[in-house]
């Protein structure tokens, strides 16, 4: 792809809206000058702020929207009140109509997933999309999915997650055959629920190219970075995500309390404060945003409380997914995995019974 990457931004999304979106986009533009932006939001708010960033304004088009999805809106409520008219919906729709190559929003996660699935649909034969997060580890980063898009999943869904996660890892980590592990209660083949064990057998027998199936991994392997891609269903993945975020805050609080017991420790804290804040950010899996996988379009979820630097990271993540053709890699690996997919059970009508 030689042309500019066109990124649609939900300028009203997140805890602070355009006051973070615009400076974040300006930072990303400095690093990725071959980017153009489509900004969706209230022009009375966004317009004056945009004027403060002339380089960004020159590479952007602003589209007025009068409705913004609230962070507290339920997905059904957001669809009912924001469909076709909200900044979030119109930014997503720009991808559907090929006006943009990807969309980035820091808005309500449930609403963003509901709107993206409704507007873009899933790519065949993926039945349910997933949220993939970049997870800090002792050896760098790993990808963890699903961290909350859907609850539960059979072996077919877990295989889909493995395929999509491996495709993303090929881009993010620039490796041909990332290692993939299924999160489980133990590494032994006899442990775990039947769906996980069945998915493990399917992945091992398939021996797919562009993916090295490692086997089962446990919770403590997440921090060690035992594999490039950790696969689990959304219920477990979301609990792991929230636990990691809480642990980062807990550790930061412990260190802050420990360094406030004496005058000398307080002085030490003043010098170490920035380093401690950087440590907490590094330990948070959401620092760079998440990728919605399985949709027929590239959708990036930035953290609702992201600052400008973190939002810029989410934009750059979307840029990389477009430049390195994430959707094409997923389709390629889905085709390779067809032999590993079980045929869906044939439903029997009551009359036939």
């Amino acid at each position: 792809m030689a042309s500019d990457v066109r990124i649609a931004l939900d300028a009203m999304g997140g805890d602070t809206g355009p006051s973070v979106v615009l400076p974040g986009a300006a930072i990303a533009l400095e690093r990725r000058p071959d980017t153009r932006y489509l900004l969706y939001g209230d022009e009375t708010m966004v317009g004056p702020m945009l004027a403060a960033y002339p380089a960004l304004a020159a590479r952007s088009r602003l589209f007025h929207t009068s409705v913004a999805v609230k962070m507290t809106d339920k997905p059904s409520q957001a669809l009912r009140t924001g469909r076709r008219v909200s900044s979030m919906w119109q930014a997503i729709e720009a991808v559907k109509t090929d006006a943009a190559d990807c969309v980035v929003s820091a808005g309500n996660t449930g609403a963003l997933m509901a709107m993206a699935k409704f507007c873009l649909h899933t790519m065949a034969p993926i039945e349910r999309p997933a949220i993939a997060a970049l997870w800090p580890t002792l050896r760098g980063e790993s990808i963890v999915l699903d961290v909350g898009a859907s609850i539960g999943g059979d072996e077919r869904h877990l295989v889909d997650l493995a395929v999509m996660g491996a495709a993303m890892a090929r881009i993010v980590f620039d490796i041909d055959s990332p290692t993939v592990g299924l999160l489980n209660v133990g590494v032994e083949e006899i442990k775990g629920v039947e769906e996980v064990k069945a998915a493990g057998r399917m992945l091992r027998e398939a021996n797919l190219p562009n993916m090295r199936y490692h086997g089962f991994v446990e919770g403590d392997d997440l921090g060690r970075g035992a594999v490039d891609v950790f696969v689990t269903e959304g219920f477990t993945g979301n609990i792991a995500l929230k636990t990691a975020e809480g642990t980062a805050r807990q550790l930061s609080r412990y260190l802050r309390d420990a360094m406030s017991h004496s005058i000398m420790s307080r002085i030490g804290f003043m010098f170490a404060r920035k380093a401690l804040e950087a440590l907490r950010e590094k330990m948070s899996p959401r620092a760079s945003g998440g990728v919605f996988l399985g949709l027929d379009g590239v959708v990036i979820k930035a953290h609702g409380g992201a600052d400008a630097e973190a939002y810029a990271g989410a934009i750059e993540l979307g840029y990389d997914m477009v430049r390195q053709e994430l959707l094409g890699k997923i389709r390629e690996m889905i085709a390779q995995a067809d032999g590993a997919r079980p045929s869906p059970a044939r439903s029997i009508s009551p009359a036939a019974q």
Side-chain angles (χ1 to χ4, degrees), residues 88 92 102-118 120-123 126 128-133 144-150 161 164-165 168 286 289-302 317-318 321 326-327 330:
M88 181 181 287
I92 296 169
C102 78
V103 54
V104 180
S105 175
N108 181 318
T109 302
L112 183 63
M113 177 57 78
M115 286 189 174
K117 187 175 180 182
F118 193 94
L120 298 175
H121 308 295
T122 56
M123 61 171 63
I126 303 297
R128 293 188 291 169
I131 304 175
V144 180
L145 74 164
D146 176 19
V147 293
S150 58
L161 294 180
M164 294 189 294
M168 178 176 166
R286 293 200 190 188
V291 182
F292 286 7
L293 298 177
L295 296 168
D296 198 11
V298 179
V299 180
I300 307 296
K301 172 64 175 70
L317 182 60
M321 296 300 104
L326 170 67
L327 301 185
I330 291 177

Side-chain angles (χ1 to χ4, degrees), residues 124-170:
I126 303 297
E127 294 182 350
R128 293 188 291 169
I131 304 175
L134 290 173
W135 200 281
T137 74
L138 291 176
R139 69 181 186 95
E141 285 183 317
S142 293
I143 291 170
V144 180
L145 74 164
D146 176 19
V147 293
S150 58
I151 304 301
D154 59 12
E155 57 269 29
R156 173 174 177 165
H157 179 59
L158 293 172
V159 170
D160 287 342
L161 294 180
V163 167
M164 294 189 294
M168 178 176 166
R170 290 172 62 192

Side-chain angles (χ1 to χ4, degrees), residues 159 162 180 182 198-208 211 213:
V159 170
V180 177
L182 290 173
R201 289 192 296 268
M202 290 163 58
L203 288 169
R204 180 171 287 104
E205 292 168 3
N207 192 26
L208 299 174
M211 175 200 301
Y213 177 59

Side-chain angles (χ1 to χ4, degrees), residues 54-348:
L56 176 63
R59 301 284 291 179
S60 302
R61 290 184 61 192
L62 174 58
F63 299 86
H64 174 69
T65 60
S66 57
V67 176
V69 174
K70 298 181 178 65
M71 296 297 281
T72 55
D73 285 348
K74 294 181 179 179
S76 57
Q77 181 182 3
L79 274 173
R80 187 167 58 252
T81 61
R83 183 181 173 190
R84 304 195 186 283
V85 295
S86 66
S87 58
M88 181 181 287
W89 176 279
Q90 292 193 20
I92 296 169
E93 194 167 43
V95 175
K96 180 180 181 179
T97 61
D98 198 34
D101 299 304
C102 78
V103 54
V104 180
S105 175
N108 181 318
T109 302
L112 183 63
M113 177 57 78
M115 286 189 174
K117 187 175 180 182
F118 193 94
C119 185
L120 298 175
H121 308 295
T122 56
M123 61 171 63
I126 303 297
E127 294 182 350
R128 293 188 291 169
I131 304 175
L134 290 173
W135 200 281
T137 74
L138 291 176
R139 69 181 186 95
E141 285 183 317
S142 293
I143 291 170
V144 180
L145 74 164
D146 176 19
V147 293
S150 58
I151 304 301
D154 59 12
E155 57 269 29
R156 173 174 177 165
H157 179 59
L158 293 172
V159 170
D160 287 342
L161 294 180
V163 167
M164 294 189 294
M168 178 176 166
R170 290 172 62 192
I171 295 171
V172 175
F173 305 138
D174 192 24
I175 49 180
D176 289 332
S177 298
T179 54
V180 177
L182 290 173
L183 195 62
N184 199 5
V185 295
V187 298
E188 298 85 355
E189 293 297 319
I190 61 172
K191 289 189 175 180
V193 296
E194 196 55 46
E195 293 83 359
V196 174
K197 291 190 287 185
R201 289 192 296 268
M202 290 163 58
L203 288 169
R204 180 171 287 104
E205 292 168 3
N207 192 26
L208 299 174
N210 303 121
M211 175 200 301
R212 288 175 291 154
Y213 177 59
H214 174 87
F216 295 153
V217 288
E218 298 180 86
D220 60 344
D221 289 321
L222 284 166
R224 294 194 302 107
V227 291
D228 299 309
V229 181
F230 291 85
V231 174
T232 186
E233 52 80 36
F235 182 83
T236 304
N238 191 259
I239 290 176
L241 176 70
K242 299 293 177 59
T243 301
E245 290 179 329
T247 301
R249 289 192 295 268
Q250 181 182 6
L251 178 59
S252 178
R253 179 62 183 269
Y254 280 164
L255 291 172
R256 184 184 296 269
D257 290 346
M259 299 184 77
S260 64
H261 287 164
S262 67
I263 293 176
M264 292 303 295
S265 62
R266 290 188 188 120
I267 293 173
F269 174 74
M270 293 300 294
F271 286 104
R273 183 172 58 185
K274 288 187 177 180
L276 293 175
E277 290 174 351
L279 174 63
R280 184 177 64 181
E281 287 299 314
K282 184 175 179 61
M283 290 182 65
S284 175
R286 293 200 190 188
S288 299
V291 182
F292 286 7
L293 298 177
L295 296 168
D296 198 11
V298 179
V299 180
I300 307 296
K301 172 64 175 70
H303 195 289
D307 59 14
E309 184 64 37
Y311 196 89
I315 292 174
E316 292 173 287
L317 182 60
Y319 174 99
D320 291 341
M321 296 300 104
V322 173
R323 272 281 182 246
Q324 301 300 320
E325 300 181 348
L326 170 67
L327 301 185
K329 284 182 169 62
I330 291 177
R331 290 189 177 97
E332 170 194 344
M333 295 186 71
I334 286 174
Q336 294 168 352
D338 275 346
R341 297 174 187 277
S343 300
R346 184 174 61 90
S347 60
I348 303 176

